[in-house]
Amino acid sequence: MKLHLNNQEIDELLQSTTGDGPVKSANPGHLEEARRHLKDCATCQMLMREHEHAIESLALLKPTSPGTKGPICPPDYIWLDIAAGILDRDAENDLGHAAECDHCGPLLRQAKEDFANELTPEEETTIANLPSSTIAWQGRLAAKLQDAQAPITVLPSPKDRSPSFVRSLLAPWRLTVAAAIIGLILLGLRDHRQTADLITQNQQATAEIQQLKQSILQQNGQIAQLAAESKRSSSLAPVPEPQPTDHMQIASLVLDPGLTRGIASLKHLTIPAGTNFAKITLRLPENPDGVVREELVTADGQKKWSQELRPPEPEKNTNSLSLLLPVYLLIPNDYQIVLSRKTSDGFERFATYTFRVTR
Amino acid sequence: MRRCSTSRSPEAWEEFVRRFHRLIATVILRTASRLGDSSKQTVDDLIQETYLKLCADDFRILRSFEHQYPAAFSGYVKVVTANVVRDYFKSTHTKKRGAGHLEQLEEDFVPAAAEDHPGSPKSIEREILIREIASHLRQCISGPDQERNAQIFWLHYRTGLSARNIADLPGIGLTTKGVESILHRITKDLRSRMAEPKAAVPDQLQRGPEGFVPA
């Protein structure tokens, strides 16, 4: 009488020794019988060794050191966002890449490990022993944070607002008017710089509302005009002229000038699938006269696009400048837009804007 | 955040600091340990730095994020925290590099190639193994979820993510138990396929589905 083990029995034997996967409730008697058989059967011993060899092979799939970054690897910061559960668009594609990339996979694993909610006993002890875990330290920090904030008490408290007042706030044009009034009130309370910012925001909001009211045909006209300007004045990598269509998708972003560092202060331009153009509105620190050069530069200093133009009067009145860029220029990365004004000695930089593109 | 913004109550601020302390301290401790300095002083400095960043400009960053992704708020705090730590170590490293510290290499120094650098025998062996397993895997999985299941397999065995971490990832849409179950099923099938060709069992000894069979 010769008996051999089947896959189920081998699986149960392996589980009982390696703890690989969820242990099923195997019949102890049956398992013992399989063990006895294995002890005496050379064929099953060989089969068992092959299974063990397969397990060892699977363990060799992990890279022993991180691989080098390849041309199709997404930016490294993506893995922090994915590990934190922030990215929901394109996460599937990115995960597919991480699963097969020895550079990105370890970054994702590291981010998941850093962000894990569960603490080891050692971590619990270390954190509990930090000075920052004491009430006194936290109280001092709270006072410091509180002092760092400017008080904002502009609107009446909710219970003082009448329903009609609240309803009236919901009308978009009234929101704009209210924002303008708030801006005026703050004019007397705030320092000059904050007030100037609010007025700029009000003007920007008004301009945005007007732009939204424009018909698709008007947008196409703008696109065609900008594309023609771009073609005339582009001094770097020439881009194909964008062709307006009836179903143009535009992603938009408003940027304030400044070289910012760190994800917390970085503006994100998320480009949904099917988007043709990105409209980037730049708030100007000053109103330049004459010709302005706009340059799009990647984080590593590579110039992607540039154009020179004289800002149109309507935009100058709102202290802003709008760019319309074809989205194929904006692969996920960090970018800077550099504005320079024309002087007798050439071009002089006067504003820089930093932002990040995600898809 | 709203209480902190609208009231001058110190309790609101203390509550804000207390609520995020554990989360921020954990991310800082882990990231800083990995990057080489998890002293109490450094960790506490970075905790303070993170709070200042989060609260800057009347919580402008957090408020705009909360509006867009309310469910991922704590995730965003983690990302901000991790970036504060990375920026700190990046700048520390840059300062150290720029401090006039120079290392001289010996004239006859020949850099040793890493054991698993691309093109090394170990790396080639691993590449072959990956292809072999990928080929077996294609036969093990089918149906509408085959792409997702393959992704789960590679994320576990190649990337080293646990079933729980995989289940947490956006777009996976499974519980930890669900991921464990898929991994177990694929692994079992794959192992059998990998073992089969080499274990050439004679025909008369083929096993039946019921387990032990008479020869």
Side-chain angles (χ1 to χ4, degrees):
Chain A
M1 184 105 162
K2 277 189 179 175
L3 302 173
H4 288 288
L5 302 176
N6 64 17
N7 282 339
Q8 181 63 36
E9 287 155 351
I10 288 175
D11 191 46
E12 285 171 6
L13 281 170
L14 284 169
Q15 278 186 63
S16 70
T17 53
T18 63
D20 178 34
V23 179
K24 286 184 181 171
S25 53
N27 181 341
H30 192 75
L31 200 61
E32 196 46 47
E33 199 179 339
R35 235 180 234 128
R36 273 200 303 275
H37 169 80
L38 183 65
K39 198 177 169 189
D40 300 328
C41 176
T43 306
C44 287
Q45 283 171 8
M46 191 174 73
L47 193 61
M48 193 70 168
R49 272 198 298 277
E50 291 298 339
H51 275 263
E52 284 165 351
H53 178 67
I55 292 172
E56 286 161 16
S57 297
L58 289 175
L60 293 174
L61 287 175
K62 270 179 216 149
T64 48
S65 59
T68 48
K69 189 169 182 168
I72 59 163
C73 292
D76 291 351
Y77 67 82
I78 288 281
W79 308 116
L80 286 180
D81 290 353
I82 288 182
I86 294 172
L87 272 193
D88 46 4
R89 270 189 220 111
D90 272 352
E92 228 170 282
N93 289 338
D94 292 329
L95 282 181
H97 173 81
E100 297 176 0
C101 174
D102 290 342
H103 173 78
C104 297
L107 290 179
L108 175 62
R109 188 184 67 233
Q110 202 171 72
K112 282 302 288 182
E113 285 167 359
D114 289 349
F115 289 172
N117 290 326
E118 298 74 29
L119 275 76
T120 62
E122 292 77 24
E123 287 172 336
E124 289 275 12
T125 312
T126 309
I127 289 174
N129 289 331
L130 285 173
S132 63
S133 295
T134 61
I135 293 170
W137 191 97
Q138 292 180 7
R140 279 199 300 276
L141 177 61
K144 192 172 179 178
L145 294 172
Q146 189 179 8
D147 288 345
Q149 301 295 319
I152 297 176
T153 48
V154 177
L155 288 173
S157 66
K159 67 176 180 185
D160 294 338
R161 288 179 215 153
S162 67
S164 59
F165 174 75
V166 175
R167 264 201 305 277
S168 69
L169 280 178
L170 297 175
W173 69 269
R174 282 177 183 159
L175 274 175
T176 311
V177 174
I181 292 166
I182 290 164
L184 287 171
I185 292 168
L186 285 173
L187 191 63
L189 302 172
R190 304 268 168 223
D191 62 62
H192 177 69
R193 189 173 171 182
Q194 279 181 311
T195 309
D197 284 345
L198 279 167
I199 290 169
T200 309
Q201 282 172 19
N202 285 335
Q203 288 170 339
Q204 191 60 48
T206 311
E208 288 286 338
I209 290 164
Q210 284 170 354
Q211 282 170 359
L212 285 169
K213 287 177 183 168
Q214 285 177 351
S215 68
I216 290 172
L217 283 174
Q218 282 171 319
Q219 285 183 22
N220 286 345
Q222 279 185 331
I223 292 160
Q225 192 185 347
L226 280 167
E229 277 181 21
S230 169
K231 194 180 174 186
R232 274 201 304 277
S233 58
S234 175
S235 61
L236 285 162
V239 296
E241 185 175 329
Q243 296 300 312
T245 70
D246 288 338
H247 305 290
M248 199 66 73
Q249 299 260 7
I250 300 177
S252 62
L253 179 71
V254 180
L255 291 173
D256 289 305
L259 271 166
T260 54
R261 279 177 58 78
I263 191 170
S265 48
L266 200 58
K267 284 248 187 174
H268 287 231
L269 173 63
T270 305
I271 301 176
T275 305
N276 309 86
F277 288 92
K279 182 188 170 195
I280 300 173
T281 305
L282 308 173
R283 287 181 181 144
L284 298 175
E286 58 185 80
N287 230 337
D289 285 319
V291 175
V292 171
R293 178 190 282 169
E294 303 163 339
E295 288 171 294
L296 178 71
V297 186
T298 60
D300 54 3
Q302 190 190 353
K303 282 181 189 173
K304 300 284 287 183
W305 171 88
S306 81
Q307 71 171 4
E308 289 164 20
L309 80 167
R310 201 175 282 277
E313 279 308 314
E315 288 199 326
K316 279 172 76 172
N317 291 338
T318 56
N319 279 335
S320 68
L321 201 57
S322 293
L323 311 181
L324 205 59
L325 298 168
V327 295
Y328 62 76
L329 280 175
L330 298 166
I331 56 169
N333 200 346
D334 289 353
Y335 292 90
Q336 279 188 351
I337 293 173
V338 180
L339 295 186
S340 312
R341 72 164 82 74
K342 194 165 191 175
T343 65
S344 53
D345 300 323
F347 279 90
E348 176 190 54
R349 177 183 292 207
F350 73 93
T352 306
Y353 304 81
T354 308
F355 68 106
R356 176 170 291 169
V357 172
T358 54
R359 289 184 187 249
Chain B
M1 267 172 14
R2 281 190 199 93
R3 276 182 62 210
C4 291
S5 287
T6 55
S7 79
R8 298 288 295 166
S9 151
E11 289 79 22
W13 285 95
E14 281 163 19
E15 170 66 12
F16 176 78
V17 172
R18 192 193 58 76
R19 196 172 286 189
F20 286 101
H21 179 263
R22 185 183 160 96
L23 186 145
I24 291 172
T26 307
V27 174
I28 289 176
L29 181 67
R30 287 176 184 153
T31 315
S33 300
R34 194 162 37 73
L35 295 175
D37 176 12
S38 58
S39 65
K40 284 181 183 177
Q41 182 62 49
T42 303
V43 171
D44 279 348
D45 284 352
L46 289 170
I47 289 173
Q48 180 170 305
E49 181 68 26
T50 306
Y51 276 111
L52 286 169
K53 198 154 203 169
L54 290 171
C55 300
D57 201 8
D58 191 30
F59 302 98
R60 185 178 58 81
I61 297 147
L62 281 183
R63 277 190 284 113
S64 67
F65 184 82
E66 186 193 30
H67 179 67
Q68 281 179 290
Y69 307 95
F73 187 73
S74 65
Y76 192 66
V77 173
K78 288 177 182 175
V79 172
V80 172
T81 308
N83 279 304
V84 167
V85 183
R86 286 166 183 225
D87 281 356
Y88 167 79
F89 280 98
K90 213 183 281 177
S91 82
T92 310
H93 181 66
T94 309
K95 278 179 200 160
K96 274 185 188 166
R97 252 193 341 196
H101 182 72
L102 220 77
E103 280 179 16
Q104 189 97 34
L105 295 180
E106 295 295 327
E107 264 181 31
D108 56 352
F109 173 76
V110 179
E115 202 186 341
D116 53 354
H117 75 103
S120 69
K122 197 176 171 187
S123 158
I124 292 169
E125 269 174 35
R126 183 167 165 268
E127 199 55 45
I128 292 168
L129 177 69
I130 288 170
R131 284 182 195 185
E132 186 194 337
I133 290 177
S135 150
H136 285 303
L137 186 66
R138 276 192 289 276
Q139 296 167 46
C140 294
I141 52 174
S142 59
D145 294 327
Q146 69 181 79
E147 203 175 320
R148 181 200 63 186
N149 292 352
Q151 212 169 75
I152 288 173
F153 173 85
W154 290 116
L155 283 171
H156 180 68
Y157 282 107
R158 189 165 170 176
T159 306
L161 289 180
S162 66
R164 182 175 190 166
N165 280 344
I166 294 171
D168 276 349
L169 291 171
I172 294 293
L174 288 169
T175 60
T176 305
K177 285 273 172 212
V179 173
E180 275 176 357
S181 165
I182 286 171
L183 281 172
H184 180 67
R185 187 164 45 79
I186 296 176
T187 307
K188 192 176 151 190
D189 197 1
L190 189 76
R191 216 177 48 217
S192 304
R193 284 175 193 276
M194 288 170 78
E196 253 170 26
K198 289 168 193 169
V201 182
D203 283 350
Q204 67 272 24
L205 300 181
Q206 285 297 317
R207 302 171 303 282
E210 71 282 5
F212 297 106
V213 292

